[in-house]
Amino acid sequence: GIQVEQSPPDLILQEGANSTLRCNFSDSVNNLQWFHQNPWGQLINLFYIPSGTKQNGRLSATTVATERYSLLYISSSQTTDSGVYFCAVEVKGGSEKLVFGKGTKLTVNP
Amino acid sequence: AAGVIQSPRHLIKEKRETATLKCYPIPRHDTVYWYQQGPGQDPQFLISFYEKMQSDKGSIPDRFSAQQFSDYHSELNMSSLELGDSALYFCASSGWTGGTGELFFGEGSRLTVL
């Protein structure tokens, strides 16, 4: 099956810092989504981004489908950004389910 | 906007008991997915339904079954519960009608097996 690798696995930042999270995938995909799982366990949709670049406030994402990777940028981080960030992909030619990476655990300290 | 509704949010059961989780998808979404997330793990796909028919199956134990009803809500039935079934269970829905196929997740049902 498809491999989805996220890096780094853990990241600790001071409030106000910027960061880049990476997601590599091993096969062609129809869909790629980024999620934030908050400390209460909720999975929050951040981006639906099978290709191209999108921005939403302090967050932006870029997917280069031909090179099989996606990046999530967080600028001016806040303590509320803490949690686990998951990348999930839908394999091209497969069912529509998402396959998740192991996630990046982000801790933002005040 | 309406979201995916899951119930119950928390559930405590004893070993060998049975549990049923319910999921109400976003209106007009025709596909429902169930995921299981163990402590410190990523969500793992269990099963999905499209237009009330099973569309894909992942690593779902034989003790678990699921179905999607005529009103598109779905239920996950878990029998002979084991300690290892303790997890967060997510339901997600998607729909191409007026949408992109993006998956939206509910808030999850946290099952604790004692």
Side-chain angles (χ1 to χ4, degrees), chain B residues 27-72:
Chain B
R28 299 198 304 157
H29 277 192
D30 50 24
T31 306
V32 167
Y33 312 79
W34 287 97
Y35 283 79
Q36 177 192 57
Q37 186 180 26
Q41 305 295 313
D42 55 290
Q44 294 291 314
F45 171 73
L46 292 178
I47 196 167
S48 62
F49 294 87
Y50 168 70
E51 286 290 345
K52 294 153 279 184
M53 298 288 288
Q54 181 180 307
S55 54
D56 198 1
K57 194 172 182 180
S59 49
I60 183 170
D62 291 341
R63 300 177 288 108
F64 292 11
S65 65
Q67 58 182 321
Q68 186 179 30
F69 294 87
S70 57
D71 64 352
Y72 292 95

Side-chain angles (χ1 to χ4, degrees), chain A residues 14-36:
Chain A
Q14 287 300 122
E15 207 166 20
N18 303 327
S19 61
T20 301
L21 281 57
R22 187 176 181 100
C23 172
N24 292 333
F25 43 95
S26 60
D27 207 343
S28 299
V29 299
N30 281 331
N31 173 13
L32 187 146
Q33 293 184 230
W34 282 97
F35 297 91
H36 173 216

Side-chain angles (χ1 to χ4, degrees), chain A residues 33-51:
Chain A
Q33 293 184 230
W34 282 97
F35 297 91
H36 173 216
Q37 187 164 39
N38 63 25
W40 296 271
Q42 295 175 311
L43 276 171
I44 310 298
N45 285 44
L46 296 178
F47 293 101
Y48 168 79
I49 186 165
S51 63

Side-chain angles (χ1 to χ4, degrees), chain A residues 13 15-17 19 36-39 58-59 74-85 104-108:
Chain A
L13 301 174
E15 207 166 20
S19 61
H36 173 216
Q37 187 164 39
N38 63 25
R58 297 181 295 104
L59 272 60
I74 305 174
S75 64
S76 304
S77 57
Q78 301 175 357
T79 56
T80 52
D81 294 333
S82 296
V84 181
Y85 289 80
T104 292
K105 183 177 180 181
L106 174 65
T107 302
V108 181

Side-chain angles (χ1 to χ4, degrees), chain B residues 72-106:
Chain B
Y72 292 95
H73 94 272
S74 179
E75 295 184 4
L76 177 66
N77 298 294
M78 301 174 284
S79 62
S80 302
L81 288 169
E82 302 173 356
L83 295 179
D85 296 328
S86 295
L88 191 54
Y89 290 83
F90 286 104
C91 173
S93 72
S94 69
W96 285 95
T97 305
T100 62
E102 182 177 1
L103 268 70
F104 294 88
F105 283 76

Side-chain angles (χ1 to χ4, degrees), chain A residues 60-83:
Chain A
S60 65
T62 294
T63 297
V64 184
T66 53
E67 297 187 20
R68 298 181 183 172
Y69 74 87
S70 183
L71 302 174
L72 177 69
Y73 306 95
I74 305 174
S75 64
S76 304
S77 57
Q78 301 175 357
T79 56
T80 52
D81 294 333
S82 296

